[in-house]
Amino acid sequence: MNILFLGTSAGVPTKARNVSGVALRESKGKGWYLIDCGEGTQHQVLHTKLSFHSLKAILITHVHGDHCYGLPGILASAAMGGREEPLTIVAPAGIKAWLEATCEVTQLCLPFAVDFIASDELPSVEFENMAVATFRLSHRVASYAYGFTERKIDAALDIEKLAQKGIPRGPLWGQLKQGFDVEFAGERLKSHDYLIFKNKPRKVVIAGDNDRPELLVDACEDAQVLVHEATYTEEMAQKAGDVGHSYAKLVAAFAETVQLPNLVLTHFSPRYQPSPHASPSIEDIRAEAQSVYSGSLYLAQDFGEYTLDKSGHFSEVAGE
Amino acid sequence: MNILFLGTSAGVPTKARNVSGVALRESKGKGWYLIDCGEGTQHQVLHTKLSFHSLKAILITHVHGDHCYGLPGILASAAMGGREEPLTIVAPAGIKAWLEATCEVTQLCLPFAVDFIASDELPSVEFENMAVATFRLSHRVASYAYGFTERKIDAALDIEKLAQKGIPRGPLWGQLKQGFDVEFAGERLKSHDYLIFKNKPRKVVIAGDNDRPELLVDACEDAQVLVHEATYTEEMAQKAGDVGHSYAKLVAAFAETVQLPNLVLTHFSPRYQPSPHASPSIEDIRAEAQSVYSGSLYLAQDFGEYTLDKSGHFSEVAGE
């Protein structure tokens, strides 16, 4: 599973950072999920290898413009690019009404079906290779986190158990290995019971704007990675609270509490400048988070890509 | 007056061209007008010296997404940047309803007033330094062109006429020169009658999507420059007609008919590639237009800037 950041700025784009957008790629094939779609997300996609044809779903965390104003344009471009497969959109109900109004006013007729799922009902959605769960956050408007757990993971046959059961080596073993239940000696045998899973399923949680990270305790269970906003540092705690955002220490302390192995911070206020010598600097966010968190910490950048391998090891992918 | 192109691609952005957006700068000061606002226009503005504080008006030619999807984001960013002055928006009525729906769903509260003027009523709008007229075009949806004529132009006092009238040299001359009418010997004297204008007012016409350039005959009277779409070449005339667009020869032949001195083509289908060796190439559009047009022809590029000087001379500004 790969996480590719398409936008990492809060509120407004800067020359170096677009507003929110994250691409989550499946470990096999080209399938991907887009979490949030700020204005200009489709422009960022143009500079990656991602294709709108293999986009499985768009998930919007909340209705603020820097997380959704790119939605009409990305749908229009997918349409003009010839997409015909249905597309799932998981988003607050208001987004559905807004998209319908947008399509009507701007005469946008999509040649593919949109399967809209309201995140307000905290849905669990199963895609072919990924299960998505929804979690409620705290912000000025309803905001959500999405937990992505891979569905088809590598497993070995439990040969000892197969032998005990007297199942002969052959096609039945192959079917069980591929995840299919089989009939044997008048009994229905479940694939799951004859497999040994080498690794835990990979799980990534991608959160929207949120001023109470502790709401993510359940979401983070068994997760290897949390992607969370850190709009400010503690110096701005008052302002952060006023506008419903987190600051670095708040998120990092939560991650430490739940012993989360990997934390990726994003959605930085443009007030934090890229140079480590500037004040305030993006490095202030890193230093503050690092001071209370012992896991692996990352500060997202636009086009920064990370990979979570089968064994649960998370690392940054070197740029081209 | 300067014309700065922010986006020159039709329908979808490419790596080198954004969707429609043109900035027209006044000859004095920093005031500017934005004609069309496709998605990502605010991102383009970030790479120019334009400021949202000196934006006088946004004018939208028609409701298609590649001409307006950047509108909510640019308003949100102007708001976050501290703009408080009212902003005029001239656009088809549907845009007003869509903006209102957008503000409601996405909880966007603008700290400045928006003075909305429906282009469907072909309004004439007078700004301090610019008069704007609206003209109807032909497209799949209602589409408009905007003609910009400068209002305050350099003039010299008609000293002979002042002497004949017996007006003494002094404050009255100054007021007349500055455009104010004055009282003299019980008579109201109009400034306009005592001034000699050195040049014709500068006039630029910027058109939206349109498959009938001849509709611009009146708009182009006394204009030095027309900015018009040339989405295709004649080879695609059938398709162009089907989707309500112009091809290069159609626009250029019109410009030749009205003896327009300067024609800037824009809004190119992404099928026309940048390399002159590619097929079809953007140079095919140039060659086709040049074959029927004897004036000065320009093909717009993103961040390409042109200046129209006092004397009506139009030229490209060299890049930095």
Side-chain angles (χ1 to χ4, degrees), chain A residues 38-52:
Chain A
E39 181 183 354
T41 297
Q42 66 161 318
H43 300 66
Q44 301 287 86
V45 169
L46 279 180
H47 295 276
T48 70
K49 290 175 181 166
L50 299 167
S51 160
F52 293 134

Side-chain angles (χ1 to χ4, degrees), chain B residues 148-181:
Chain B
F148 296 81
T149 306
E150 66 175 339
R151 290 187 64 195
K152 292 178 179 170
I153 62 171
D154 285 350
L157 282 170
D158 188 338
I159 295 180
E160 208 170 304
K161 211 169 173 184
L162 288 163
Q164 283 175 355
K165 197 79 185 176
I167 306 169
R169 187 181 295 265
L172 286 181
W173 284 33
Q175 287 173 280
L176 286 167
K177 172 100 167 62
Q178 285 167 52
F180 296 107
D181 300 340

Side-chain angles (χ1 to χ4, degrees), chain B residues 274-286:
Chain B
S275 163
H277 308 297
S279 180
S281 157
I282 199 84
E283 291 304 319
D284 298 341
I285 290 180
R286 187 192 306 275

Side-chain angles (χ1 to χ4, degrees), chain A residues 35-36 59-63 67 90-92 119 137 142-146 206-209:
Chain A
I35 300 92
D36 280 337
L59 304 100
I60 303 291
T61 62
H62 64 295
V63 297
H67 296 255
V90 184
S119 43
L137 302 175
S143 183
Y144 303 95
Y146 298 107
I206 300 180
D209 290 2

